Amino acid sequence: MKNAVSGATFALAMTLSCGVGAAAPTEADLGSIVHNGRDVAGSSGSACTSGSGAGSGNGSGNCYGGSGSSSGSSGGTATDTTTTGPEMTSWLGAFAYGLANPDANPPGANDWNCKPTAAHPRPVVLLHGTWMNAYNGFAYMGQPMKDAGLCTFTFNYGRSNIIEGGGLGSFLPGVMGTGYIQDSSKQVAAFVDRVLAATGAGEVDIVAHSQGGALANWYTKFDGGAAKVKNLVTFGATHHGTSLDGIGALGRMINNMGIDILGPIEIFVGHAGIQQTIGSDFVNTLNAKGDTIAGVDYTVVGTRYDEITNPYELTFLKAVPGATVNNITLQEGCEQDISDHLTMLYSPRALSIALRALDPAGNHPLACTFNPWVVGGGGSI
């Protein structure tokens, strides 16, 4: 079915491109296009200059997402978590709990009396992804990180209602991460400063999922994070955007022909969702001067079964001088881990990769267990 959908999508793209001299890219082409720093489908201008998104809804006329929305509202606020929820091994169970308890705190996180030690000198900030929240993002990883001696902190960012551009998902109380990513980056900057002030540390490490990874990358490049982040560990991050199985790339191609198709879609998925499509102004600006920055160590994890960040290789980064990058495919050496975009946060192997990056002296074994897509938790809820 997936191949059929992709084939139909690109067949439609071929039809639409007839007469304008542009051939539709394959998903392999998209990966090459992004890594070579060119716009999708050879577009000569950004989504803004093609008329697809000027006045994107932040009230300033800036084309943040290149999406065509013009609500005039700056989307997204940040909120703290409150009562700690239960530890979960299943993504499905955690997601349900997080919807019913949108301000729940993941176990192990936000002990504001926790102080870094010589063995663990940096606190860890956890960033959830689009349409998720702090709890269902880290209900599995939070406590083991705490048990390893790490001080971990998290919050809900990008909390928007539908008027602010959060999309239809914002009707659900536990859906966060839908506001403009640039706004969310400033929320991250303020939260990191709070963590540094509370702990007395000079730097933080960040563990981030999906949009959270691209958001952290933006923070380090444009909002003062370069001097405050040492390690960035990402899972399924949309560093180079996503084709959404070809649909996002097709929409961007049509937008660049002067037909605003992504604007209406934004009503459903929210500002941040559209910003993460390949070729958006956000993605192009994020990587315009290289994937990474000097002084930060990156651990980048992707899964072959990622249905959101696809092709999944788009999550991987290239190091600039002074940066280190460790790109990891979750299934290398562990084929029985079939985690998808969401359940990778509930993968014992993913957790062990994070712990090894954050606590290299801790001798954490590299786990390898069955972890299915959709459910996670070894197949049990």
Side-chain angles (χ1 to χ4, degrees), residues 16 36 127 132 142 146 167 195 216 223 230 247 259 261-262 269 271 275 319 328 337 352 358 364-365:
L16 288 167
N36 287 331
L127 298 179
M132 294 183 69
K146 174 75 170 177
V195 170
D223 283 321
K230 177 55 180 173
I247 296 172
I259 304 170
I261 190 173
L262 291 181
V269 302
H271 293 319
Q275 285 189 294
I328 301 171
D337 190 326
S352 66
L358 299 170
H364 300 282

Side-chain angles (χ1 to χ4, degrees), residues 79 81 105-111 123-129 133-146 150-157 188 191-192 195 204-209 212-213 215-216 231-233 235 345 351 354-355 358:
T79 56
T81 57
N105 189 59
N110 290 342
D111 175 1
V124 180
V125 172
L126 310 174
L127 298 179
H128 62 80
N133 56 47
Y135 174 79
N136 57 35
F138 296 97
Y140 171 64
M141 290 190 176
Q143 190 61 52
M145 289 183 181
K146 174 75 170 177
L150 300 168
C151 298
T152 59
F153 300 89
T154 189
F155 72 115
N156 290 319
Y157 69 82
V188 170
F191 187 77
V192 167
V195 170
V204 301
D205 293 335
I206 293 179
V207 176
H209 174 241
L215 165 60
N231 290 295
L232 175 56
V233 182
F235 294 95
L345 286 178
L351 171 62
L355 289 174
L358 299 170

Side-chain angles (χ1 to χ4, degrees), residues 174-185:
V175 168
M176 316 291 180
T178 58
Y180 285 115
I181 301 175
Q182 290 90 335
D183 292 341
S184 295
S185 177

Side-chain angles (χ1 to χ4, degrees), residues 16-23 257:
L16 288 167
S17 65
C18 288
V20 295
M257 295 175 193

Side-chain angles (χ1 to χ4, degrees), residues 72-368:
S73 299
S74 179
T77 58
T79 56
D80 287 337
T81 57
T82 53
T83 304
T84 299
E87 188 173 359
M88 293 275 190
T89 59
S90 164
W91 174 81
L92 198 59
F95 184 71
Y97 187 92
L99 287 180
N101 302 273
D103 294 310
N105 189 59
N110 290 342
D111 175 1
W112 291 92
N113 293 316
C114 186
K115 299 296 182 183
T117 64
H120 305 105
R122 292 178 299 276
V124 180
V125 172
L126 310 174
L127 298 179
H128 62 80
T130 311
W131 283 40
M132 294 183 69
N133 56 47
Y135 174 79
N136 57 35
F138 296 97
Y140 171 64
M141 290 190 176
Q143 190 61 52
M145 289 183 181
K146 174 75 170 177
D147 293 342
L150 300 168
C151 298
T152 59
F153 300 89
T154 189
F155 72 115
N156 290 319
Y157 69 82
R159 191 171 193 159
S160 303
N161 59 40
I162 192 167
I163 295 175
E164 294 169 327
L168 293 181
S170 62
F171 280 116
L172 298 173
V175 168
M176 316 291 180
T178 58
Y180 285 115
I181 301 175
Q182 290 90 335
D183 292 341
S184 295
S185 177
K186 291 177 173 54
Q187 295 161 20
V188 170
F191 187 77
V192 167
D193 286 348
R194 284 176 59 195
V195 170
L196 293 177
T199 61
E203 293 178 305
V204 301
D205 293 335
I206 293 179
V207 176
H209 174 241
S210 192
Q211 178 198 152
L215 165 60
N217 209 351
W218 184 278
Y219 164 61
T220 61
K221 291 179 177 179
F222 302 109
D223 283 321
K228 300 175 183 179
V229 177
K230 177 55 180 173
N231 290 295
L232 175 56
V233 182
T234 68
F235 294 95
T238 51
H239 293 302
H240 295 107
T242 172
S243 72
L244 296 177
D245 207 15
I247 296 172
L250 172 61
R252 185 66 57 196
M253 288 171 60
I254 297 172
N255 264 38
N256 288 345
M257 295 175 193
I259 304 170
D260 182 13
I261 190 173
L262 291 181
I265 293 174
E266 185 173 13
I267 296 172
F268 296 95
V269 302
H271 293 319
I274 294 299
Q275 285 189 294
Q276 293 170 84
T277 55
I278 292 174
S280 73
D281 273 19
F282 171 80
V283 171
N284 289 346
T285 302
L286 177 63
N287 300 301
K289 295 183 179 180
D291 290 356
T292 57
I293 59 171
V296 177
D297 297 327
Y298 301 80
T299 301
V300 184
V301 184
T303 173
R304 292 173 185 155
Y305 302 98
D306 198 319
E307 71 277 49
I308 304 298
T309 301
N310 59 64
Y312 85 91
E313 293 91 347
L314 291 182
T315 196
F316 294 147
L317 299 174
K318 293 182 179 179
V320 300
T324 64
V325 173
N326 185 16
N327 291 318
I328 301 171
T329 297
L330 196 60
Q331 287 74 31
E332 287 184 0
C334 188
E335 293 295 335
Q336 61 263 48
D337 190 326
I338 57 172
S339 302
D340 64 2
H341 185 77
L342 298 169
T343 62
M344 66 191 307
L345 286 178
Y346 291 77
S347 159
R349 188 172 185 82
L351 171 62
S352 66
I353 291 170
L355 289 174
R356 287 158 70 96
L358 299 170
D359 183 26
N363 297 316
H364 300 282
L366 185 59
C368 180

